[in-house]
Amino acid sequence: MSVIDQTDQADAAPTEAVRHQWTRPEAESIYNLPFSDLVLRAQSTHRSNFDPNTIEFASLLSIKTGGCPEDCGYCSQSARYDTGVGATRLLDQADVIAAAERAKDAGATRFCMAAAWRSPKDRELDRVCDMVAKVKGLGLETCVTLGMLTFEQAERLAAAGLDFYNHNVDTSPEFYDKIITTRTLQDRLDTLTHVRHAGISVCAGGIIGMGEGIEDRLGMLVLLANLPVHPESVPINLWNEVKGVPVADTAARPDPIEVARLVAVARILMPRAVVRLSAGRQYMTDELQALCFLAGANSIFIGDVLLTTKNPQRDRDESLLRRLGMSSKPG
Ligand code: SAM
Ligand code: DTB
Ligand code: SF4
């Protein structure tokens, strides 16, 4: 039987305690609840921790695209695959600030800057730290995803005022080696520890639809939920199709009900995390997105592109949220 963390439980919501010792069988039995029971439990947990009609808007910018030495089998930016995505240099600060201003005008509250690196070099990190400080000065929350970090690098980002670091576990421990060989899952967990110890909030999630089983999707959530502190943000990405990568040969788009069930499990296992419907919303119907919000998702990326792939158009998102009576500002 799992043990409830007494310290966290004291101030936790009555519907779902914050726990860090979830088991796979527990996650499976929650996932397999009758759908109405599952969604009710997830929605009750959600309401105890968040305004249920508020969605966080995050905006994403690729500050350094392509030419990445890593072999992540899903990614258009790996130099190892012929995907048609070319390598760029690190963007100039002025271009990044201009993009952040546009994102703020479009309603984003968080600005995420992503670089196709295995890990940043010192002089590259200096430039990203300057960008973080400037973007924060616009009144936006800042997030970066730059690959693996040492503790010292995380400390430098913290000193620049960085709010969040995104580094995904991507999939279950069992499926991981089928997708990536150039960095281990432990490497990723080490980076998350460095980020956490530097006092930066953690954004960590993964990808579904690469050919993994439901047990892998749940294994990924259990891994995240059993970190010593839950990630503050959990992005759930549906694999966005990319031609020329290994995952293109194994991918299978998840059944929509499976997606909603998984979001509900993420909400229940990590009651206070902001769960983001991240990549892959372009394949979701409005009805599926509505179900996912009901199941506890409360963040999206806005903007027509993510890094190298598409995201729903702004007018489609606006129409959906209007019809659902949801907005990015608390009601
Ligand atoms: N290079 C850095 C790294 O991987 O650590 C940061 C950028 S990387 C693009 C950030 C995350 O985006 C990956 O860990 C993966 O979870 C997600 N991602 C990449 N390509 C994707 C795709 N085609 N569909 C869905 N998610 C994707
Ligand atoms: C995350 O989990 N999803 C974002 C962000 N973190 C950096 C990236 C999605 C990338 C989708 C594929 C692309 O556009 O190239
Ligand atoms: Fe490189 Fe990140 Fe893409 Fe992996 S996911 S190939 S590390 S850009």
Side-chain angles (χ1 to χ4, degrees):
M1 206 184 94
S2 299
V3 181
I4 292 172
D5 182 323
Q6 298 296 331
T7 333
D8 281 343
Q9 195 191 18
D11 54 330
T15 43
E16 215 71 57
V18 173
R19 294 173 44 195
H20 303 274
Q21 296 93 357
W22 292 97
T23 66
R24 293 263 190 119
E26 280 176 314
E28 271 166 37
S29 64
I30 295 170
Y31 182 88
N32 288 318
L33 283 169
F35 190 72
S36 296
D37 296 345
L38 174 62
V39 172
L40 177 64
R41 183 164 164 187
Q43 176 65 200
S44 306
T45 304
H46 190 55
R47 281 173 181 265
S48 301
N49 293 286
F50 295 99
D51 173 344
N53 303 311
T54 300
I55 292 286
E56 173 191 80
F57 283 179
S59 177
L60 188 56
L61 177 70
S62 183
I63 58 171
K64 195 273 167 220
T65 307
C68 183
E70 300 295 276
D71 72 351
C72 311
Y74 48 77
C75 185
S76 63
Q77 302 193 69
S78 168
R80 295 168 190 245
Y81 314 126
D82 187 7
T83 66
V85 172
T88 68
R89 297 154 65 95
L90 182 60
L91 288 183
D92 286 337
Q93 189 184 98
D95 295 331
V96 175
I97 303 312
E101 280 168 344
R102 285 194 298 274
K104 188 179 177 191
D105 290 345
T109 55
R110 186 177 305 177
F111 191 66
C112 310
M113 294 164 269
W117 289 325
R118 172 176 165 81
S119 52
K121 298 190 178 69
D122 279 348
R123 67 173 186 286
E124 294 166 337
L125 194 68
D126 287 340
R127 290 182 57 194
V128 175
C129 285
D130 287 346
M131 292 173 191
V132 166
K134 287 269 174 1
V135 171
K136 212 174 153 64
L138 299 174
L140 287 160
E141 286 181 328
T142 52
C143 178
V144 298
T145 178
L146 314 171
M148 296 186 286
L149 291 186
T150 62
F151 177 61
E152 290 69 28
Q153 288 178 318
E155 278 190 311
R156 284 170 59 195
L157 286 163
L162 183 69
D163 298 301
F164 290 82
Y165 194 82
N166 167 242
H167 199 61
N168 291 339
V169 297
D170 277 350
T171 188
S172 69
E174 294 79 7
F175 198 67
Y176 186 91
D177 296 349
K178 297 190 175 66
I179 302 295
I180 303 135
T181 70
T182 50
R183 66 172 66 151
T184 64
L185 183 55
Q186 189 58 49
D187 289 333
R188 290 180 186 257
L189 297 173
D190 290 347
T191 291
L192 293 178
T193 303
H194 298 151
V195 167
R196 177 63 75 199
H197 287 170
I200 300 167
S201 294
V202 168
C203 172
I207 312 178
I208 61 174
M210 301 187 290
E212 75 290 334
I214 288 169
E215 65 283 3
D216 294 306
R217 297 174 195 159
L218 291 171
M220 173 178 91
L221 293 185
V222 168
L223 175 65
L224 293 166
N226 286 346
L227 291 173
V229 179
H230 291 168
E232 283 76 9
S233 284
V234 177
I236 298 191
N237 297 276
L238 231 66
W239 183 60
N240 252 354
E241 278 178 33
V242 175
K243 291 201 173 63
V245 297
V247 160
D249 300 328
T250 61
R253 190 137 336 127
D255 164 63
I257 301 299
E258 290 175 0
V259 175
R261 282 186 178 275
L262 197 74
V263 168
V265 174
R267 167 55 60 229
I268 292 165
L269 265 50
M270 294 170 276
R272 295 179 188 163
V274 172
V275 176
R276 180 175 307 127
L277 284 189
S278 197
R281 273 198 313 117
Q282 58 166 331
Y283 307 126
M284 295 185 186
T285 61
D286 287 356
E287 294 87 337
L288 175 57
Q289 292 186 61
L291 262 189
C292 290
F293 297 146
L294 199 54
N298 58 350
S299 175
I300 58 172
F301 279 124
I302 57 167
D304 299 348
V305 286
L306 292 169
L307 299 175
T308 66
T309 61
K310 285 186 190 154
N311 199 40
Q313 302 278 313
R314 184 194 168 105
D315 53 359
R316 188 182 156 203
D317 282 345
E318 281 177 354
S319 159
L320 173 61
L321 293 178
R322 188 174 56 250
R323 282 177 292 143
L324 297 176
M326 300 178 95
S327 75
S328 63
K329 309 259 175 349

